[in-house]
Amino acid sequence: DLSSYDGLTGLANRRHFHQRLADEWRRAMRRAEPFGLVMIDIDHFKRFNDTYGHAMGDECLKAVACALAATLQRPCEFVARYGGEEFMAVLPDTPHPGLLLMAERMRAAVEDLAIPHATSPTAGQVTVSLGAASLAEVNRASSLTALCQVADQALYAAKAAGRNRVAGAVMDPDASPGPGSCTCG
């Protein structure tokens, strides 16, 4: 178990994320179900660490992880720590409107923590930006890598639109991963 979870946040680590993601993807493919993926990034986290120190940064990461995990409603859903201040949420069998609703709940849950962030140009507290990508039906032609790329692009759109928001996109079922795409699967 220790090798599957992030020691700081208690969430699935990147390695475990990849394993569970592949399992949920295969399950969705067998059932021809919708699939949702959310990329989450703490806004201006470097500034937070620079202002409050790394110990407070660790406490912030723990609180954000807990808030994100608390929004989940079904056993198949999970959140993982993907990188420093980056998280990924997997929401199998979730059509796009539900995915956007869940992503907004995650955003609001972090905002409701009201963790002060005096040097954030976005808000006076810690916030997150989220990129939500969905696929209406997973089938053999579907690409998990392409879905990951769509989520990444949506995250950048949320940041470009001012941060502390959700941006969503529905993946074209015929999309294939482009050069430089992220490799979730």
Side-chain angles (χ1 to χ4, degrees):
D1 280 350
L2 291 176
S3 66
S4 296
Y5 294 93
D6 176 61
L8 179 66
T9 64
L11 296 178
N13 62 21
R14 193 171 182 149
R15 178 175 165 244
H16 189 64
F17 163 76
H18 287 292
Q19 292 170 342
R20 282 206 53 198
L21 177 64
D23 291 344
E24 292 300 336
W25 183 259
R26 284 190 296 273
R27 183 176 294 116
M29 188 181 307
R30 282 192 307 272
R31 297 176 181 174
E33 293 175 339
F35 201 87
L37 185 65
V38 182
M39 289 186 135
I40 306 149
D41 191 56
I42 299 176
D43 296 324
H44 309 291
F45 190 68
K46 182 180 181 327
R47 287 181 185 208
F48 185 91
N49 271 340
D50 291 347
T51 302
Y52 300 103
H54 290 281
M56 287 300 295
D58 287 351
E59 293 304 314
C60 176
L61 287 168
K62 288 184 212 176
V64 168
C66 187
L68 294 173
T71 65
L72 303 180
Q73 299 176 329
R74 300 175 298 158
C76 64
E77 300 172 342
F78 69 97
V79 177
R81 185 169 179 203
Y82 197 67
E85 71 274 7
E86 298 169 335
F87 300 88
M88 297 284 277
V90 177
L91 293 104
D93 196 18
T94 305
H96 195 68
L99 182 66
L100 293 177
L101 178 66
M102 288 298 293
E104 177 54 29
R105 283 185 186 156
M106 291 177 192
R107 188 207 62 75
V110 172
E111 189 173 58
D112 289 348
L113 293 171
I115 299 170
H117 189 341
T119 56
S120 171
T122 302
Q125 63 195 49
V126 170
T127 59
V128 290
S129 296
L130 303 94
S134 65
L135 181 61
E137 179 182 303
V138 178
N139 59 48
R140 292 209 175 274
S142 303
S143 168
L144 182 52
T145 300
L147 184 63
C148 185
Q149 184 178 20
V150 171
D152 191 44
Q153 291 167 349
L155 175 60
Y156 278 99
K159 289 179 178 186
R163 299 180 191 251
N164 190 27
R165 67 190 68 230
V166 174
V170 177
M171 187 177 104
D172 177 349
D174 299 320
S176 61
S181 62
C182 90
T183 53
C184 286

